[in-house]
Amino acid sequence: MDQPEKTSINSNDADKMDLSFTKQVQKLHQLTVYGRWFFVGCLWLTIAPFSLWNLRGEIALLQQYFTWVAVRYGLFYNPLPTLGLAFCIATTVSTLVWQSRNILLGLPPQEQKRLEKQVLKIREQGQTHPLWKWICH
């Protein structure tokens, strides 16, 4: 008679462990989202001002006489600032598309498995892992 109670206790513990594991995977995904947006913010705070500063002459010209030829000239003959702005815009758009896909369609199975493996590694390494505090508490 004690046998069924013992299995029910074990199944309750397993459910709690699964719930805990699922929450940890969600926390890791949330940290990934925050990390990507932090990276995008850092790009906009470092590379974008440098690029815009180097394009200040062309921007002044565009304020007086806006034409698409002036835009093309300004970007074509200033390749480093153009690449900097393009990198900022591309990173922002890719992060938006990635996060929108995850919200609308859910996490792809490959990414879900990657996050689960990462949580298992964090659990295995224990408190010495840098993400332990944020994931396992």
Side-chain angles (χ1 to χ4, degrees), residues 9-59:
I9 291 172
N10 289 339
S11 66
N12 286 339
D13 289 342
D15 290 340
K16 288 179 184 176
M17 291 298 285
D18 287 340
L19 183 61
S20 172
F21 183 72
T22 304
K23 285 183 179 181
Q24 290 173 350
V25 170
Q26 289 173 351
K27 283 182 183 179
L28 182 60
H29 176 67
Q30 185 109 18
L31 280 175
T32 305
V33 171
Y34 290 155
R36 286 185 182 216
W37 282 114
F38 179 74
F39 178 69
V40 168
C42 287
L43 287 177
W44 280 103
L45 290 174
T46 56
I47 294 176
F50 168 75
S51 299
L52 290 173
W53 182 257
N54 286 328
L55 290 172
R56 67 189 181 277
E58 283 73 16
I59 291 172

Side-chain angles (χ1 to χ4, degrees), residues 111-123:
E111 192 164 347
Q112 181 72 25
K113 287 183 182 186
R114 183 190 65 79
L115 289 171
E116 289 171 357
K117 285 181 183 179
Q118 186 71 24
V119 168
L120 289 175
K121 283 183 182 179
I122 292 170
R123 281 180 162 185

